[in-house]
Amino acid sequence: MEIYTLAKGEVDKFLKRRRKAKYEEDEFDVRLDLIFREILQKANEFVPSESGSILLDDPAKKSPLLEKNDLVFVACFGPGSSKLVGVSLPATKGIVGHTYCTGQPYISPDVKDDKHFYSEIDKKTQFITKSIICVPVVIGKSVCGVIELLNRLEKVNYTKEDLNLLEIFAAYTSTLIQNALDAKRHKELSKEDSLTGLFNDRFFHTQLDIEIRRAKEQRRELSLIFLDLDNFKPVNDNHGHLAGSRVLTEVGAILRDVIIAEEAVISRYGGDEFVIILPGINYEEAYKIGLKIRDTVKDFVFLKDVSPYGDPAYHIKDVITASIGIASYLDCITCQRKIEEDKNLFIKLADEAMYKAKEAGRDRVCLRRGDDTFQF
């Protein structure tokens, strides 16, 4: 039995059913395409059928009103099924749409007499559907798709026993998708700073290795920004550490808003220090980004609202500023070294520039140039 599925990179998007990270990891380990193949194969072994499919909604476009969604054929087998992979079907159409919207299993012993049957799919595949059995796939309390089998083999028609078996496979599908979601979330949490929601220093170091290797091999621009908050300690001293934590969270939000470079990796380095990797960005562009960050932090009113937990608003303005240091890889690092040596030097140069900004009076952006000079 030949089973067709979306390619791995395309099928992975159906796992994005939680908060979307701004920066995705290169690949996700779970092979959802292989899982779907196995589910259809086993379902067909227990309930032999001429054809079958798994359809899922697109979480990136999902509406709470199920009838407004589309269902995508992510895996299928049977005559003409190669034409179906990736095809979208409005949730208002067909027996699969009815099953999806109602969340109830469904048997259609003769589709000619079924008002829910949608014949356009048969026209596309040149397949003749006679009977259908269909069950919803549910994650938590939300319907996310359906499994359908068409034209029962070895029996006159589908039975209640067949429906029970297919429901077991739908529950198995739900469990596997949920496990994949949990594994994906665990992986996201392992690289996330729990306070700000930015990346943590461990992920920063891993990603900087990757970007330096790419810069070396492709002669690609790469810049690094180090940021340290000025006058942060008085906030902790005067208002308490909870207020300080709220400030750091707001700084994280500022950085996400200001830095629009698509490949940027924004991390909390520790304490009140932040670091930003800017792939494809040269020192001139990085300097402009640094200036925008500095100006935004300087003009921002921190803690102007009561927190969700009832912590008071302090309206902190004209106190916290940022000292920013910048280095650009192709401009500053010309000798051939090992990746780890390059990385350590690159961090050192950006860090030195940040301390020069501190020494020059704070609230400044300092650019480390390749000729060992500093530019403000």
Side-chain angles (χ1 to χ4, degrees), residues 15-51:
L15 277 179
K16 296 177 182 176
R17 297 181 180 272
R18 293 186 180 171
R19 178 185 55 82
K20 185 177 180 182
K22 187 173 180 179
Y23 190 92
E24 295 292 340
E25 218 165 339
D26 291 342
E27 270 195 66
F28 185 50
D29 295 338
V30 174
R31 289 297 303 269
L32 204 59
D33 54 334
L34 301 182
I35 289 173
F36 289 159
R37 286 175 190 268
E38 181 181 354
I39 288 168
L40 282 182
Q41 184 173 352
K42 292 296 183 183
N44 190 53
E45 287 177 10
F46 283 86
V47 187
S49 302
E50 280 189 55
S51 182

Side-chain angles (χ1 to χ4, degrees), residues 84-99:
L84 284 182
V85 175
V87 171
S88 294
L89 177 70
T92 54
K93 302 291 185 181
I95 290 170
V96 291
H98 176 73
T99 301

Side-chain angles (χ1 to χ4, degrees), residues 50 79 111 117 122-123 125-131 150-151:
E50 280 189 55
V111 298
F117 179 64
D122 276 6
K123 292 178 183 178
T125 61
Q126 299 299 301
F127 181 78
I128 299 176
T129 301
K130 300 173 184 176
S131 58
L150 283 63
N151 299 355

